[in-house]
Amino acid sequence: MITKTTRPNGTSTRLRPEQFGELVFHREVMRRYLSESALEAITRWERGEPISPELADEIANALRQWATEKGATHYTHWFHPLTGLTAEKHENFFEVYGGKVLSGFNGSELLQQEPDASSFPSGGLRSTFEARGYTAWDPTSPPFIYGHTLCIPSVYVSYDGHALDYKTPLLRSIEALNQSMKKVVALFYKGVERVYPTLGIEQEFFLIEAEHFAKRLDLRLTGRTLIGAASPRGQQLEDHYFGSIPERVLSFYEELEIEAWRLGIPLKTRHNEVAPAQYECAPVFEELNVAIDHNQLLMDLLQRTARRHGLECLLHEKPFAGINGSGKHNNWSLSTDTGINLLSVGKTPKENLRFFSILSIILKAVYTHADVLRATIATPGNEHRLGGNEAPPAILSVFLGKAVSEAVEALTRASELPQLKDKTPLSLLLPRLPHLLRDNTDRNRTAPFAFTGNKFEFRAVGASAHCAPAMIVLNAAVAEAAEEFVRAVEARRAEFPSREKAILSVVRDFLIESSPIRFDGNNYAAEWREEAEKRGLSVSFHVPKVLKSYINPATIQLFASRRILTETELHARYEVRLERYVKAYGIELHTLLDILRTQLLPAALKYQSDLAKLLESPALKSLAMVQAPEKLSQQILLERLQSHIQGLWHGIEEAEARWKDLTALPSIEEQADAVYEHIRPIMTSLRQHADAVETLIPAEVYSLPRYADMLFAVR
Ligand code: ADP
Ligand code: MG
C-alpha cells in the first residue's frame, strides 16, 4: 500500500532551505509585487489605520497575480470560528461576462467576505434567521496558498459586530498586552515601540494504520477509542521515546516538513513520544498570532499527509486508555521590537531587575486568573488526560526551578536583588568531552505552567485544541498585572530614594501575593492536591463547574475593560463550551451504544452460542458428570460471559434512559452537569464490561482492531 520509501541517507524527498515560505505572500514577495505606497498602507493597516479602496485594489491585484502564477485558481478568507477548526469558502478568481472569462478579485473582496453565519456556533449571539457574518483580512498574518487556493487569514464577526471567532479577541489581547507592557519596558529601556508575545507550539499526535482506523467507528466519529482492552505491552519499556523513528513515519515526516516549510511553518524538531505510536513535532517560535495560524494549518497538514502514507493521524487528547495522551505545549514569551526577550535572565543589575519585574507580573497574572486559565483547557478530550500521571494535572500551578525559586524566595525575604546566572558549567569529570552548560532551571514534566529558561511553557493545552483561548487569557491577564505594576511603581516613587527601589518593592509584593501559585514539587503526588486546597487554589475536575470561570466577575472585568470580549460575548463563549461538552458526550455515548449493539454483543453472543452448543455435546456432558460437583471451565466461561452481557444490556438501557432525561433538562448548564455526573460513569462501566468481553472471546469473531494491533503495526 505504501509506495514511498526513505532509507537513512537515501536519495528520496529531502528538505531544501530555499523552499521555505514559497507559498506565502510575505514581505519580500510584497516588495516585488507592490508599489512603495501600497507597502506603507499595509504597515499602517497593521497598526489599525484604514486602507483606501484604490490601494486595496492594488494589493488584491498583486495578490491574485502572485497566486495565479503559483497555480492558484481560487481564494478564500480563512477564519477561526468557535468550532476550534478553521473555515473557508472558496471563490474562483474569474468573472464570466457574456461568455467571456475575465479575471476577478478586487480590493473589497480582499478586505471583506460575507459567509453565512447561521451554521457556526455563536452561543446565542444570533439566531438562525439573522445569518449575516463578516470576515475581514488580518494583515498581521500573511496570505498563503493551500492546494490551489489562496487563503487570506481573517477575523470573523457578526452583523452587529460581535466576535464569532478566536482571532478577533486574540488580536485584541495582543494589543492590550503591547499597550501595558510598553509601559513596564519603559522603566528599563528607551526606544521600544512594540512588545509582542512569542509562541512555539509543540504538537503531539498518534499515527496508526489507516486500515485500522477505518474499522473503528469510535475513532472515526469521536477521535478516541471508547472501548478496547489494554495491550499486554504498552509503554512499560520506555523504549519508544526518542527512539529510532520507524521507516514509514520518517517518510511521512519528510513530506510533512517540506509541505510545512513551503507554507512558511518553521518546523524544526521531530521525535518519537512516550506512548507507542505517539510522535511529536515542533516549529521554531514565531509571533503568537502567526504561530497559532500555523498550528491550525499544521494540524490539517498532519492529517492530510498521514492519509497519503496509508496512515491516520490522531490528534485527540486521549485516543487510547492506559497509555499517555497527547498535549500541545505552548512555549510563550515576550519580545520587544528591539529584539529583547523579556524573560531572558539578565546579565547586568538593570536587566536582572527587568527579569524579576516581568516574572513577578506573570506570576501575579497566572495567580489571579488561574481559574479561567484552567477553564480554557477544560475540554471533553482533555478531561481524560489531565489528572492521570502522564500529563499536567488539573490544578494550575507554576514551576520555576531551583535557581529561580531560590532567588525569588531570597527576594521576598530581603530587599536585595539576587543575581541569577543564565547557564552554569556542568562538570562531567570526563576531560575529553566539551564542557556542558547547565540551564538555570531543570525540567519538571509534571508542572502545568513551567519556567524553562527564557520562556514559560503552558503544558496543559490539549493536542487537538485551538491555542487561542488559553493564549487570550494569558495575554490579557499579563496585560492587567503589567498595568497594575506600573501604577504601583508610580504611586510609590516618592516613598523611595530611587526608582529601582520602588520597582523592587513592587516586585516583592507581587511575588509575596502570588506565592501560593508557585510549586516546584511533584504535581502528580496525592499530597499536592491537599496542599493546593490549603493554599486556596482551585482543585476541580468537574468540567462544567470549571467552565463557569468564563463568566465570573474577575474574568468579565479582565476582558471587558480591555475590550477583548464584552460580557455578552463571554457568556456566549461559556455557552458554546458547555454545548460542545454535551454534544461531544452525546456523540460518544451513541457511538459506544452502536458499537456495543452491532459489533461487540453480536460477537459475544456468537461465541456464547458456540459454547452452549459445545456444552450440549455428548462428550462434554459426560465430562461434566465425571467432574461433578466441580463445574466445567466451559460452563464457567459461559457464565462469566453472561454476566458481562447482562451488565452491558442493563447499562445500555440505563444509558438510553439517562440520555432521554438529560435532553429534557431545560438549560445547557444542567445538561452539562448531567453529563458529568451520570453519563460519564455509565460509559466507564460499559467500557469495563466491554473490555472484559474482549479478553474472553476469540479474536476472529471480533471485528474491531485491538489495542496491540493498532499501537504496534506501523514500522
Ligand atoms: P523544550 O521545551 O523541549 O526545551 P525547546 O527549548 O527546543 O524545547 O523549545 C520548545 C519550543 O519553545 C520551540 O518551539 C521553541 O522555538 C520555543 N521557544 C524557544 N524560545 C522561545 C521564546 N522566546 N518564545 C516562545 N517560544 C520559544
Ligand atoms: Mg517543551
Side-chain angles (χ1 to χ4, degrees):
M1 156 189 42
I2 295 307
T3 51
K4 254 189 213 178
T5 58
T6 315
R7 272 156 259 102
N9 310 320
T11 50
S12 68
T13 34
R14 261 185 290 170
L15 193 64
R16 284 187 290 118
E18 66 273 18
Q19 288 180 313
F20 187 78
E22 69 181 20
L23 298 176
V24 182
F25 196 66
H26 50 66
R27 276 280 149 167
E28 234 167 82
V29 183
M30 286 187 197
R31 258 180 233 121
R32 267 189 274 134
Y33 283 80
L34 289 172
S35 68
E36 206 49 49
S37 51
L39 278 171
E40 276 164 26
I42 292 183
T43 310
R44 286 198 305 272
W45 164 259
E46 282 175 10
R47 280 194 242 114
E49 282 177 44
I51 213 158
S52 75
E54 297 75 33
L55 285 173
D57 280 340
E58 183 192 330
I59 298 165
N61 210 18
L63 250 176
R64 179 181 47 78
Q65 197 192 331
W66 168 79
T68 46
E69 279 167 19
K70 295 263 175 200
T73 52
H74 290 66
Y75 69 92
T76 180
H77 276 198
W78 183 79
F79 57 104
H80 305 242
L82 301 179
T83 54
L85 306 171
T86 51
E88 49 200 73
K89 178 189 171 203
H90 300 188
E91 311 267 357
N92 70 30
F93 281 125
F94 313 109
E95 304 283 350
V96 181
Y97 284 114
K100 265 207 174 136
V101 179
L102 305 169
S103 288
F105 193 54
N106 57 30
S108 59
E109 286 161 325
L110 164 68
L111 298 182
Q112 186 173 327
Q113 269 191 328
E114 195 228 312
D116 186 326
S118 56
S119 297
F120 289 110
S122 78
L125 278 182
R126 42 121 214 77
S127 15
T128 352
F129 59 88
E130 302 161 329
R132 270 185 208 281
Y134 297 105
T135 53
W137 180 30
D138 161 24
T140 61
S141 181
F144 57 91
I145 299 169
Y146 200 42
H148 298 292
T149 304
L150 169 70
C151 298
I152 302 158
S154 298
V155 297
Y156 175 48
V157 295
S158 73
Y159 182 70
D160 36 17
H162 290 304
L164 291 176
D165 68 345
Y166 288 127
K167 200 187 252 291
T168 306
L170 184 72
L171 293 175
R172 290 177 185 154
S173 76
I174 291 171
E175 186 47 26
L177 189 57
N178 174 38
Q179 291 305 335
S180 58
M181 262 300 160
K182 263 197 311 203
K183 294 182 202 145
V184 176
V185 170
L187 298 170
F188 304 95
Y189 305 105
K190 286 204 179 69
V192 171
E193 284 183 20
R194 191 164 80 92
V195 179
Y196 57 89
T198 49
L199 182 64
I201 303 166
E202 300 163 59
Q203 176 73 54
E204 295 178 340
F205 54 92
F206 279 80
L207 286 177
I208 63 165
E209 291 284 0
E211 255 171 72
H212 288 152
F213 178 81
K215 288 190 187 138
R216 299 238 13 166
L217 189 69
D218 48 3
L219 282 178
R220 282 193 285 130
L221 299 191
T222 75
R224 72 178 180 111
T225 54
L226 299 169
I227 55 173
S231 160
R233 176 169 161 190
Q235 60 196 47
Q236 305 94 319
L237 296 176
E238 297 172 326
D239 54 353
H240 184 65
Y241 189 57
F242 282 14
S244 160
I245 301 175
E247 194 86 350
R248 278 177 64 195
V249 176
L250 207 50
S251 94
F252 151 85
Y253 263 139
E254 288 183 340
E255 188 175 326
L256 174 80
E257 284 167 9
I258 292 170
E259 288 304 311
W261 268 49
R262 297 179 75 209
L263 287 161
I265 306 171
L267 273 191
K268 169 92 176 154
T269 312
R270 62 189 189 202
H271 62 80
N272 294 1
E273 252 305 322
V274 168
Q278 194 186 26
Y279 300 91
E280 177 181 308
C281 62
V284 177
F285 68 92
E286 301 176 273
E287 281 199 32
L288 189 141
N289 176 36
V290 175
I292 290 186
D293 279 359
H294 280 169
N295 180 249
Q296 289 295 120
L297 196 52
L298 180 69
M299 288 196 282
D300 195 66
L301 211 52
L302 278 164
Q303 292 177 314
R304 287 175 196 260
T305 311
R307 282 174 204 136
R308 281 202 294 271
H309 288 252
L311 301 168
E312 189 68 36
C313 171
L314 309 178
L315 291 167
H316 194 280
E317 285 73 18
K318 195 77 178 173
F320 302 99
I323 55 171
N324 275 18
S326 300
K328 178 141 70 187
H329 297 180
N330 278 218
N331 295 270
W332 178 95
S333 189
L334 289 167
S335 179
T336 65
D337 58 348
T338 54
I340 303 162
N341 176 355
L342 293 175
L343 277 167
S344 61
V345 173
K347 291 194 179 68
T348 62
K350 187 181 83 173
E351 284 184 320
N352 207 23
L353 184 60
R354 179 265 298 153
F355 172 76
F356 282 105
S357 300
I358 303 291
L359 187 73
S360 72
I361 289 170
I362 295 170
L363 285 167
K364 163 104 184 225
V366 174
Y367 176 60
T368 311
H369 294 288
D371 288 353
V372 64
L373 200 54
R374 161 79 177 92
T376 62
I377 48 148
T379 58
N382 224 9
E383 190 179 10
H384 303 289
R385 174 178 164 256
L386 301 179
N389 280 358
E390 48 146 292
I395 309 163
L396 210 76
S397 68
V398 182
F399 168 87
L400 292 180
K402 191 157 174 280
V404 182
S405 282
E406 280 173 6
V408 163
E409 282 304 318
L411 231 173
T412 54
R413 280 193 305 269
S415 55
E416 282 309 303
L417 190 63
Q419 177 66 50
L420 255 185
K421 292 209 183 84
D422 189 4
K423 292 198 173 189
T424 51
L426 183 67
S427 168
L428 280 183
L429 305 173
L430 289 170
R432 270 187 292 279
L433 289 187
H435 283 295
L436 289 185
L437 290 178
R438 191 202 322 253
D439 290 280
N440 58 28
T441 102
D442 194 4
R443 288 172 186 268
N444 176 336
R445 287 187 66 97
T446 72
F449 201 88
F451 180 64
T452 48
N454 59 4
K455 59 185 168 23
F456 272 100
E457 191 169 329
F458 189 29
R459 302 202 178 114
V461 181
S464 70
H466 196 295
C467 295
M471 293 300 104
I472 294 167
V473 170
L474 183 60
N475 292 342
V478 173
E480 181 187 74
E483 275 159 37
E484 214 177 296
F485 186 91
V486 172
R487 267 202 309 275
V489 170
E490 274 164 20
R492 289 182 201 185
R493 181 61 192 91
E495 284 172 50
F496 288 88
S498 68
R499 193 166 70 177
E500 282 66 37
K501 296 263 184 238
I503 293 175
L504 198 55
S505 90
V506 179
V507 170
R508 285 190 64 201
D509 286 356
F510 271 38
L511 290 176
I512 292 168
E513 192 194 331
S514 62
S515 64
I517 201 84
R518 279 188 276 122
F519 180 66
D520 278 6
N522 178 6
N523 293 66
Y524 297 166
E527 303 86 72
W528 167 232
R529 219 173 140 161
E530 261 170 56
E531 164 71 20
E533 264 163 10
K534 263 192 232 142
R535 292 182 182 196
L537 302 178
S538 298
V539 179
S540 177
F541 295 85
H542 194 302
V543 170
K545 290 209 166 77
V546 167
L547 288 176
K548 226 172 176 145
S549 308
Y550 262 99
I551 50 165
N552 72 26
T555 310
I556 292 171
Q557 163 69 19
L558 173 71
F559 282 106
S561 64
R562 277 161 203 83
R563 298 159 157 244
I564 293 170
L565 288 169
T566 62
E567 184 171 352
T568 317
E569 287 168 332
L570 273 173
H571 271 273
R573 267 155 220 255
Y574 168 57
E575 195 151 309
V576 169
R577 294 293 293 270
L578 288 174
E579 228 173 63
R580 299 195 75 76
Y581 185 74
V582 173
K583 286 181 181 168
Y585 270 101
I587 294 170
E588 287 194 352
L589 178 71
H590 291 100
T591 306
L592 175 63
L593 298 186
D594 187 277
I595 293 176
L596 295 177
R597 278 201 212 95
T598 64
Q599 290 181 281
L600 187 98
L601 279 171
L605 295 179
K606 161 102 185 38
Y607 184 47
Q608 214 189 18
S609 96
D610 290 350
L611 277 175
K613 273 189 215 132
L614 189 64
L615 282 163
E616 282 304 309
S617 71
L620 262 84
K621 276 195 164 152
S622 63
L623 276 179
M625 253 161 11
V626 177
Q627 216 168 290
E630 202 190 327
K631 278 188 195 166
L632 284 185
S633 319
Q634 287 85 341
Q635 179 67 33
I636 296 173
L637 184 54
L638 186 78
E639 286 168 15
R640 206 170 280 168
L641 213 44
Q642 182 53 30
S643 83
H644 291 303
I645 290 171
Q646 205 76 10
L648 282 169
W649 201 251
H650 288 313
I652 290 172
E653 286 190 333
E654 194 194 341
E656 281 169 338
R658 285 287 191 186
W659 191 261
K660 199 156 163 251
D661 294 347
L662 179 153
T663 52
L665 292 170
S667 77
I668 191 73
E669 274 169 333
E670 286 162 277
Q671 293 188 357
D673 282 347
V675 163
Y676 186 85
E677 279 148 29
H678 307 304
I679 302 301
R680 287 165 68 259
I682 297 178
M683 289 179 67
T684 307
S685 133
L686 281 170
R687 177 173 189 148
Q688 280 161 357
H689 287 298
D691 292 356
V693 168
E694 188 192 316
T695 61
L696 296 177
I697 61 178
E700 72 260 20
V701 300
Y702 188 52
S703 55
L704 293 166
R706 310 197 316 160
Y707 269 34
D709 300 328
M710 291 185 281
L711 293 171
F712 291 91
V714 180
R715 303 257 129 221

